[in-house]
Amino acid sequence: QKEVEQNSGPLSVPEGAIASLNCTYSDRGSQSFFWYRQYSGKSPELIMSIYSNGDKEDGRFTAQLNKASQYVSLLIRDSQPSDSATYLCAVNAGGTSYGKLTFGQGTILTVHP
Amino acid sequence: DAGVTQSPTHLIKTRGQHVTLRCSPISGHKSVSWYQQVLGQGPQFIFQYYEKEERGRGNFPDRFSARQFPNYSSELNVNALLLGDSALYLCASSFSRGAAYEQYFGPGTRLTVT
């Protein structure tokens, strides 16, 4: 079992729709969770961080965390063509792994006009 | 404010050679982490440095080494390059080393080994 798994893509949604990206993780003691966006040929850009169960909203983005189910998701409302990118889920297990982010393989999102 | 900077942007090396990649963190950030990203995969953790000391190491061979300087900038060194070392090398900085601190990535160095 991979440490961090993301829903297989690619994901294609029409402009204005809600895009839903999902991620599960295996280390039950994981402490912090991040979503990065990566455009083709560029480096990852942090878009959301979440540390406790529940929802966290930032503009059109909502991150949801359920530690009991070891599940984190990202919702993008009113999707725009500029949201087309690879979305990476990253988990920090904490403890002695202070700086280590473990990434999923990424989900490619395409928003078509 | 300037973000994380990395140099060089691109690099082409031959198998068996050595390479040094450089990173300057965001001003005020004391922790630097290095990641390797091959095409189609998420980044893989190589090292974390905090206050000039190695604080974490990923599953990479001893050919990979790094250090952090008093100004918190960092170098990643790779010896005896293999074709499989071709990847995007990413540096990420964070204010401190705890799990709660967000990591911000630089633009990366794309290394091609021929």
Short mmCIF file of all heavy atoms in Angstrom, two decimals, chain A residues 2-33:
data_model
loop_
_atom_site.label_atom_id
_atom_site.label_comp_id
_atom_site.label_asym_id
_atom_site.label_seq_id
_atom_site.Cartn_x
_atom_site.Cartn_y
_atom_site.Cartn_z
N LYS A 2 0.56 2.16 -0.91
CA LYS A 2 1.32 3.40 -0.96
C LYS A 2 0.99 4.23 0.26
O LYS A 2 -0.12 4.19 0.79
CB LYS A 2 0.97 4.17 -2.24
CG LYS A 2 1.44 3.47 -3.50
CD LYS A 2 1.11 4.31 -4.73
CE LYS A 2 1.56 3.62 -6.00
NZ LYS A 2 1.20 4.40 -7.20
N GLU A 3 1.95 5.04 0.70
CA GLU A 3 1.75 5.86 1.89
C GLU A 3 0.68 6.92 1.67
O GLU A 3 -0.10 7.22 2.56
CB GLU A 3 3.07 6.50 2.28
CG GLU A 3 4.12 5.50 2.75
CD GLU A 3 5.40 6.19 3.14
OE1 GLU A 3 5.43 6.85 4.18
OE2 GLU A 3 6.37 6.07 2.38
N VAL A 4 0.69 7.53 0.50
CA VAL A 4 -0.28 8.57 0.14
C VAL A 4 -0.81 8.24 -1.25
O VAL A 4 -0.01 8.11 -2.18
CB VAL A 4 0.35 9.97 0.16
CG1 VAL A 4 -0.69 11.02 -0.23
CG2 VAL A 4 0.92 10.28 1.55
N GLU A 5 -2.10 8.10 -1.35
CA GLU A 5 -2.71 7.77 -2.64
C GLU A 5 -3.75 8.81 -3.01
O GLU A 5 -4.54 9.24 -2.17
CB GLU A 5 -3.38 6.39 -2.59
CG GLU A 5 -2.39 5.24 -2.52
CD GLU A 5 -3.01 3.92 -2.94
OE1 GLU A 5 -3.45 3.82 -4.10
OE2 GLU A 5 -3.04 3.00 -2.11
N GLN A 6 -3.73 9.17 -4.27
CA GLN A 6 -4.70 10.14 -4.78
C GLN A 6 -5.60 9.46 -5.81
O GLN A 6 -5.19 8.47 -6.44
CB GLN A 6 -3.99 11.33 -5.42
CG GLN A 6 -3.15 12.10 -4.44
CD GLN A 6 -2.56 13.34 -5.06
OE1 GLN A 6 -1.36 13.55 -5.00
NE2 GLN A 6 -3.41 14.19 -5.65
N ASN A 7 -6.81 10.01 -5.96
CA ASN A 7 -7.71 9.40 -6.94
C ASN A 7 -7.08 9.51 -8.32
O ASN A 7 -6.45 10.49 -8.67
CB ASN A 7 -9.10 10.03 -6.91
CG ASN A 7 -9.09 11.54 -7.01
OD1 ASN A 7 -8.20 12.20 -6.49
ND2 ASN A 7 -10.08 12.08 -7.69
N SER A 8 -7.25 8.41 -9.04
CA SER A 8 -6.61 8.32 -10.35
C SER A 8 -7.23 9.33 -11.29
O SER A 8 -8.41 9.62 -11.24
CB SER A 8 -6.73 6.92 -10.90
OG SER A 8 -8.08 6.55 -11.02
N GLY A 9 -6.43 9.89 -12.12
CA GLY A 9 -6.95 10.84 -13.10
C GLY A 9 -6.76 10.31 -14.49
O GLY A 9 -6.58 9.11 -14.67
N PRO A 10 -6.79 11.18 -15.43
CA PRO A 10 -7.04 12.60 -15.23
C PRO A 10 -8.51 12.89 -14.97
O PRO A 10 -9.38 12.10 -15.29
CB PRO A 10 -6.55 13.22 -16.54
CG PRO A 10 -6.68 12.14 -17.54
CD PRO A 10 -6.47 10.85 -16.82
N LEU A 11 -8.75 14.05 -14.34
CA LEU A 11 -10.08 14.49 -14.02
C LEU A 11 -10.43 15.66 -14.94
O LEU A 11 -9.65 16.60 -15.04
CB LEU A 11 -10.14 14.93 -12.55
CG LEU A 11 -11.46 15.47 -12.02
CD1 LEU A 11 -12.52 14.41 -12.04
CD2 LEU A 11 -11.25 16.01 -10.60
N SER A 12 -11.56 15.57 -15.59
CA SER A 12 -11.97 16.62 -16.50
C SER A 12 -13.33 17.16 -16.06
O SER A 12 -14.26 16.38 -15.86
CB SER A 12 -12.05 16.08 -17.94
OG SER A 12 -12.45 17.10 -18.83
N VAL A 13 -13.41 18.47 -15.88
CA VAL A 13 -14.66 19.10 -15.47
C VAL A 13 -14.92 20.30 -16.37
O VAL A 13 -13.99 20.93 -16.87
CB VAL A 13 -14.64 19.53 -13.99
CG1 VAL A 13 -14.41 18.33 -13.07
CG2 VAL A 13 -13.64 20.62 -13.73
N PRO A 14 -16.20 20.67 -16.54
CA PRO A 14 -16.49 21.87 -17.33
C PRO A 14 -16.28 23.12 -16.49
O PRO A 14 -16.33 23.10 -15.25
CB PRO A 14 -17.98 21.69 -17.68
CG PRO A 14 -18.52 20.83 -16.60
CD PRO A 14 -17.41 19.93 -16.17
N GLU A 15 -16.01 24.19 -17.15
CA GLU A 15 -15.83 25.48 -16.48
C GLU A 15 -17.06 25.79 -15.66
O GLU A 15 -18.20 25.61 -16.08
CB GLU A 15 -15.61 26.57 -17.53
CG GLU A 15 -15.31 27.94 -16.96
CD GLU A 15 -14.97 28.96 -18.03
OE1 GLU A 15 -14.89 28.57 -19.23
OE2 GLU A 15 -14.76 30.14 -17.70
N GLY A 16 -16.81 26.25 -14.41
CA GLY A 16 -17.90 26.60 -13.51
C GLY A 16 -18.33 25.46 -12.59
O GLY A 16 -19.05 25.69 -11.62
N ALA A 17 -17.89 24.26 -12.86
CA ALA A 17 -18.26 23.10 -12.05
C ALA A 17 -17.37 23.00 -10.81
O ALA A 17 -16.40 23.74 -10.64
CB ALA A 17 -18.15 21.82 -12.89
N ILE A 18 -17.74 22.05 -9.94
CA ILE A 18 -16.92 21.76 -8.76
C ILE A 18 -15.99 20.58 -9.08
O ILE A 18 -16.45 19.54 -9.54
CB ILE A 18 -17.80 21.41 -7.54
CG1 ILE A 18 -18.65 22.60 -7.12
CG2 ILE A 18 -16.92 20.95 -6.37
CD1 ILE A 18 -19.64 22.28 -6.01
N ALA A 19 -14.73 20.77 -8.84
CA ALA A 19 -13.75 19.68 -9.00
C ALA A 19 -13.46 19.11 -7.62
O ALA A 19 -13.22 19.87 -6.66
CB ALA A 19 -12.47 20.19 -9.65
N SER A 20 -13.48 17.80 -7.52
CA SER A 20 -13.25 17.12 -6.24
C SER A 20 -12.03 16.22 -6.35
O SER A 20 -11.98 15.32 -7.18
CB SER A 20 -14.48 16.29 -5.87
OG SER A 20 -14.25 15.57 -4.67
N LEU A 21 -11.05 16.49 -5.50
CA LEU A 21 -9.80 15.74 -5.52
C LEU A 21 -9.65 15.04 -4.17
O LEU A 21 -9.86 15.66 -3.13
CB LEU A 21 -8.63 16.69 -5.75
CG LEU A 21 -8.74 17.52 -7.03
CD1 LEU A 21 -7.84 18.74 -6.96
CD2 LEU A 21 -8.38 16.67 -8.24
N ASN A 22 -9.30 13.78 -4.21
CA ASN A 22 -9.27 12.98 -3.00
C ASN A 22 -7.90 12.37 -2.73
O ASN A 22 -7.14 12.11 -3.67
CB ASN A 22 -10.29 11.85 -3.10
CG ASN A 22 -11.69 12.38 -3.36
OD1 ASN A 22 -12.12 13.33 -2.73
ND2 ASN A 22 -12.38 11.77 -4.30
N CYS A 23 -7.65 12.10 -1.46
CA CYS A 23 -6.35 11.60 -1.04
C CYS A 23 -6.53 10.76 0.22
O CYS A 23 -7.25 11.18 1.14
CB CYS A 23 -5.43 12.81 -0.78
SG CYS A 23 -3.83 12.44 -0.09
N THR A 24 -5.91 9.61 0.27
CA THR A 24 -5.88 8.80 1.49
C THR A 24 -4.44 8.58 1.90
O THR A 24 -3.53 8.60 1.06
CB THR A 24 -6.58 7.44 1.30
OG1 THR A 24 -5.93 6.74 0.23
CG2 THR A 24 -8.04 7.62 0.98
N TYR A 25 -4.22 8.39 3.20
CA TYR A 25 -2.87 8.21 3.71
C TYR A 25 -2.85 7.04 4.69
O TYR A 25 -3.87 6.71 5.30
CB TYR A 25 -2.35 9.49 4.36
CG TYR A 25 -3.20 10.00 5.50
CD1 TYR A 25 -2.92 9.66 6.81
CD2 TYR A 25 -4.30 10.82 5.25
CE1 TYR A 25 -3.70 10.13 7.86
CE2 TYR A 25 -5.09 11.29 6.29
CZ TYR A 25 -4.79 10.94 7.58
OH TYR A 25 -5.57 11.40 8.62
N SER A 26 -1.69 6.43 4.83
CA SER A 26 -1.62 5.20 5.61
C SER A 26 -1.17 5.40 7.05
O SER A 26 -1.51 4.59 7.92
CB SER A 26 -0.68 4.20 4.91
OG SER A 26 0.62 4.73 4.82
N ASP A 27 -0.39 6.47 7.32
CA ASP A 27 0.13 6.68 8.67
C ASP A 27 -0.92 7.39 9.53
O ASP A 27 -1.15 8.59 9.37
CB ASP A 27 1.42 7.50 8.61
CG ASP A 27 2.12 7.59 9.96
OD1 ASP A 27 1.45 7.46 11.01
OD2 ASP A 27 3.34 7.81 9.96
N ARG A 28 -1.53 6.64 10.46
CA ARG A 28 -2.60 7.19 11.26
C ARG A 28 -2.13 8.35 12.14
O ARG A 28 -2.91 9.18 12.57
CB ARG A 28 -3.20 6.08 12.13
CG ARG A 28 -4.42 6.48 12.94
CD ARG A 28 -5.08 5.27 13.55
NE ARG A 28 -5.74 4.45 12.54
CZ ARG A 28 -6.95 4.70 12.07
NH1 ARG A 28 -7.63 5.75 12.50
NH2 ARG A 28 -7.49 3.91 11.17
N GLY A 29 -0.84 8.41 12.42
CA GLY A 29 -0.31 9.48 13.27
C GLY A 29 0.03 10.75 12.52
O GLY A 29 0.57 11.69 13.10
N SER A 30 -0.27 10.83 11.25
CA SER A 30 0.07 11.99 10.45
C SER A 30 -0.56 13.25 11.04
O SER A 30 -1.68 13.23 11.53
CB SER A 30 -0.37 11.82 9.00
OG SER A 30 0.33 10.74 8.40
N GLN A 31 0.20 14.35 10.97
CA GLN A 31 -0.19 15.55 11.68
C GLN A 31 -0.64 16.70 10.81
O GLN A 31 -1.46 17.51 11.22
CB GLN A 31 0.98 16.02 12.56
CG GLN A 31 1.37 15.05 13.63
CD GLN A 31 2.44 15.62 14.54
OE1 GLN A 31 2.81 16.78 14.45
NE2 GLN A 31 2.97 14.78 15.42
N SER A 32 -0.05 16.81 9.63
CA SER A 32 -0.37 17.97 8.81
C SER A 32 -0.49 17.56 7.35
O SER A 32 0.16 16.61 6.92
CB SER A 32 0.68 19.08 8.99
OG SER A 32 1.99 18.55 8.89
N PHE A 33 -1.34 18.31 6.65
CA PHE A 33 -1.77 17.90 5.32
C PHE A 33 -1.80 19.12 4.41
O PHE A 33 -2.25 20.19 4.82
CB PHE A 33 -3.16 17.26 5.41
CG PHE A 33 -3.22 16.18 6.45
CD1 PHE A 33 -3.47 16.49 7.78
CD2 PHE A 33 -2.99 14.86 6.10
CE1 PHE A 33 -3.49 15.50 8.76
CE2 PHE A 33 -3.01 13.86 7.06
CZ PHE A 33 -3.26 14.19 8.39
#
